[in-house]
Amino acid sequence: MIELKNLKKTFGSFVAVDNVSLSIPSGEFFGFLGPNGAGKTTTIKMMTGLFTPTSGQIVINGFDVVKQPLEAKSTFGYIPDHPYLYDRLTGREFIYYMGGLYKMEKNDLKENVERVIDLLELASWVDKKTEDYSQGMRQRVTFASAFVHKPKTIIIDEPMVGLDPRSARIVKDSLKRQANDGASIFMSTHILEMAEELCDRIGIINKSKIIFLDTRENLHLHKTKYDGNLESVFLELTKEEKDQ
Amino acid sequence: MSTFFHILWFKNLMFWKVSSKKDFGTVIRNLGSFIVFGSFAVGAFYFSNFITAYLLENVKIGLFLFHRFIGMLLFVFFITINLGNMVVSFSTLYRSPEMNFLLTSPVSYLNIFVIKFLDNFFYSSGTLFMVGFSVLLGYGFYFHLPWHFYLVMMFGVLVPFMFLAACVAVIVLLLVMKLASKINFRLLASGIVLLYMCQIYFYFKVSSPVHLVQEVMKYYPNVDLYFGMLDPLAIKVLPNFWVSEIMYFYVTKNFTSVLQYTSLLILSTAGLFVIGLAVANGIFYSTWITSLSIKSLTVRSLELKNTFFSFGKRSYFSSQTEVLLKKELWQFLREPSQWIHFLVMMALLIVFLASVSSLSIKLESPELKAVVYLIVFIFNIFLINSIALRFGFPMISLEGNAYWSVRSAPIAPSTMYWIKFSIVTIFLTVLSIVIAWLSNIPYLYAQKVFNQFPIPPSLVEPHTSIKILGYYSIVVTPIITATLVSINVGLGSVYSNFIEKNPIRIASSQGATMTFLLSVVYLVIILAVYYLPTTMMFVSASKNSSVNWSILKIVFLVITVPSIFIIIISHVLGIRSLRRDY
């Protein structure tokens, strides 16, 4: 479960995230949309402890991310927008490394490393050094490293960057499986079709504020007001905000 | 040619855009840098002035020996710049992502080479120029030298001297890379290390400082005279010798010789640069292509699969500590610029220790003995500091863009910090004790003294005071080491740069330079404090008087208490920096 309460982040005089409040129950797949520079990544970085909020509160699975960072972090897995890995380690070593950071037991870790390698179909190249990986391969390894400790919550920033169609399918399937297993998923994306296909609920952020928050079903009602596709809804919403 | 200047212009623009930001943080940082650099320059001036006065007036070693010592220091300086440039050039010419971009642009390979070479040279030499000039000022003020001395020394001597070292470095590197297509790269790297070890060994063997001192001192008190006949021929062809001669002849107002040696230095530098360009023009691109295959060559044999060190195996460490340790190990072993530089430094250290542990200087004056002891003592610490700067300072930055993995995981950033600190501290503390012990061998154990034939050599025990000084240094050295590592790792975190992948560039960044200067200020203070017990012990040995233990205790406190304070401050700053927004 994720709760964001009046979350705000400023950089000098620039307000990157302004008074964002959200509540994502366990098992929900939440899509976080918005144009470039709207505040998606900043929100995610605050949720994962990479940024400290200027004000407001983030509670993940009952733990305050600022006050109880270690407890909160042990319950979620994070997939960043740029899948940077340690170049000198192999993919398998990186997954082991992440499992170790999450204090997994030896046998449990070994078993789960094999599980995520199968899940994301990494076996044929996972023992090569990550410096030789393509963007898509790196992205899949970060997914595997986020899934290895079986998190209750998964936070993903732009999951499809650099993925070929096959990799994209593998990633989507793996996310669906995690959601079916009861994990709550918070995913920021630019790919509207993906949000439409996977998410139970969608939020749109623009100019640091949430401007739309509703379920997939209600989104369909919105779509009918336009030409029947999500892209038009998105463009209209962000355009209106721009014109104001 | 216009492309060359076009690129240089934009590089320059980039540099000034970054350094002339006007936000509060940057202004404070720049002001801090200015204060530290300025204080260091003033400190270097006074230190150089004081040392010159002390050696010439108190110890009375004479102008000739003084300049020969300068020559020896310049030899070490030359080798340091040379090796430093070689390793940095390897990274910037063959490992930098900028090369991938430049090589796809319509710029000639030679232009790219020259741009990167100059970038490299000025990037890593800026601080050395400043320190060099401050030292020259201190020296020149002592001798009341005219204004043109500083101009000639700076632009006609110091810059060409350092540029010569850089040219030699890049030529050797190009040739090594050429050979790397035929011979195993690690074998070649080992060969180069061995070659430099031999070079240093033979330099000190041939120049024989102890013999030189003994020979010159036979003429005491006329030790300001020129004893050029004592210089071996092999030494005279080295640029460090030319520089020391220029300085000697400036002081003795022999301007004809100054002009001759300065011309020789400038012409040799120009010649080496032209040779470097010719070699680069012929082989740079092909060696760059070769370098792509070196990556796999160097890494393959460093696998230790299914051993204790592989990630799948577990030990008695906590899982977090274990994976962090293993990650550090593999990142180090699989990064050629790390382990090659490490091997080079260790090789130089072995040469130094081999020389120092068998050092036997027959000097009468206890002050002179104390000076020799202090030089070796501070050189040991300086070596430790160099290793701490090179390998400790970049440790946090080397997390690179993958730092998200630690920050988003359930591990306190301080845990990662302490593990990194412990790795460097444990290694360097052990090393510092070994170095301190080896360099104190001549002061701790009985030494063979050769008598006139046919009387066999006798064993002479060092005086108790000298033995105590030896043990005292062995105890003090690890405390200083821990402080230096704390400064380097702590400030390495404060000045962390997660974008830069090259550890050598991280270790020669502005933050690293600041750290180095702060460490040197600490070392100068230690040297000043340590001067007291050292001279006291040597005087006590010469007069056969008892040891003043209260002075030893006070000096120990004067070193330990501020060191602990510096250690705490460094770690507080370092850990706090890890909590910044990433």
Side-chain angles (χ1 to χ4, degrees), chain A residues 9 45 49-52 70 73 80 84 86-88 93 97-98 100-104 106 109 129, chain B residues 299 303 311 314 319-320 324 331 334-335 399 401 404-412 501 581-582:
Chain A
K9 179 70 184 176
K45 284 192 167 184
L50 299 176
F51 281 176
T52 309
L70 303 189
K73 286 173 182 178
Y84 292 117
Y86 296 106
D87 286 349
R88 303 294 177 191
E93 286 170 346
Y97 170 71
M98 290 303 283
L101 291 185
Y102 282 84
K103 297 181 178 173
M104 292 181 74
K106 183 184 169 184
L109 176 60
K129 274 166 208 80
Chain B
V299 170
E303 300 294 348
F311 276 83
R314 275 296 170 91
S319 57
Q320 291 184 334
L324 284 166
Q331 275 194 304
R334 290 172 183 167
E335 174 56 59
E399 283 297 307
N401 286 315
W404 66 266
S405 59
V406 179
R407 280 294 293 269
S408 64
I411 177 169
K501 280 184 171 185
D581 284 352
Y582 170 67

Side-chain angles (χ1 to χ4, degrees), chain B residues 166-454:
Chain B
C167 288
V168 173
V170 85
I171 293 170
V172 172
L173 178 68
L174 283 166
L175 296 176
V176 166
M177 295 305 286
K178 184 69 187 168
L179 287 172
S181 58
K182 297 183 177 71
I183 304 169
N184 180 292
F185 182 68
R186 278 196 285 138
L187 198 69
L188 271 172
S190 313
I192 292 291
V193 172
L194 200 67
L195 191 75
Y196 273 86
M197 283 172 73
C198 294
Q199 204 177 327
I200 295 167
Y201 174 78
F202 282 115
Y203 174 79
F204 284 102
K205 186 88 181 160
V206 172
S207 62
S208 180
V210 176
H211 175 73
L212 192 67
V213 171
Q214 285 163 349
E215 287 301 309
V216 172
M217 283 300 167
K218 284 179 185 168
Y219 295 88
Y220 191 85
N222 302 315
V223 284
D224 283 345
L225 295 174
Y226 186 70
F227 298 95
M229 68 284 187
L230 297 174
D231 293 318
L233 185 65
I235 301 296
K236 292 183 180 179
V237 296
L238 297 174
N240 58 301
F241 178 83
W242 307 338
V243 177
S244 70
E245 287 287 82
I246 293 168
M247 292 171 84
Y248 177 86
F249 288 126
Y250 235 116
V251 172
T252 53
K253 296 190 170 46
N254 181 348
F255 294 114
T256 315
S257 297
V258 168
L259 190 67
Q260 281 173 351
Y261 277 113
T262 310
S263 311
L264 182 61
L265 181 65
I266 292 173
L267 286 173
S268 306
T269 306
L272 255 294
F273 184 57
V274 171
I275 293 172
L277 291 183
V279 175
N281 196 33
I283 63 173
F284 172 58
Y285 182 65
S286 64
T287 57
W288 189 81
I289 297 291
T290 305
S291 76
L292 299 178
S293 59
I294 283 174
K295 186 169 65 180
S296 50
L297 251 177
T298 52
V299 170
R300 199 181 304 142
S301 48
L302 285 169
E303 300 294 348
L304 295 169
K305 274 184 183 164
N306 297 321
T307 65
F308 169 76
F309 302 103
S310 63
F311 276 83
K313 300 277 175 184
R314 275 296 170 91
S315 64
Y316 53 85
F317 287 118
S318 78
S319 57
Q320 291 184 334
T321 306
E322 181 178 315
V323 291
L324 284 166
L325 283 173
K326 285 177 178 172
K327 186 205 69 173
E328 292 298 331
L329 174 82
W330 287 117
Q331 275 194 304
F332 182 84
L333 288 180
R334 290 172 183 167
E335 174 56 59
S337 65
Q338 289 280 72
W339 60 262
I340 290 179
H341 208 179
F342 179 77
L343 283 182
V344 168
M345 288 180 113
M346 287 302 114
L348 291 177
L349 192 71
I350 290 167
V351 172
F352 170 70
L353 288 176
S355 326
V356 169
S357 60
S358 57
L359 193 68
S360 165
I361 304 176
K362 293 177 200 118
L363 298 168
E364 291 303 318
S365 153
E367 283 83 9
L368 193 54
K369 285 180 184 171
V371 168
V372 171
Y373 187 88
L374 278 173
I375 288 172
V376 173
F377 176 77
I378 210 68
F379 200 79
N380 287 347
I381 306 290
F382 198 77
L383 274 173
I384 296 289
N385 188 43
S386 306
I387 300 172
L389 177 72
R390 171 60 187 81
F391 296 100
F393 184 87
M395 281 204 103
I396 301 292
S397 297
L398 284 178
E399 283 297 307
N401 286 315
Y403 184 43
W404 66 266
S405 59
V406 179
R407 280 294 293 269
S408 64
I411 177 169
S414 55
T415 307
M416 179 196 77
Y417 177 91
W418 288 121
I419 286 173
K420 286 174 184 276
F421 171 72
S422 306
I423 294 171
V424 188
T425 308
I426 291 169
F427 175 74
L428 281 185
T429 305
V430 172
L431 188 70
S432 73
I433 294 170
V434 173
I435 292 174
W437 175 70
L438 284 173
S439 60
N440 275 293
I441 283 178
Y443 304 96
L444 292 173
Y445 306 109
Q447 297 292 302
K448 230 181 223 179
V449 173
F450 291 91
N451 300 307
Q452 211 171 11
F453 187 78

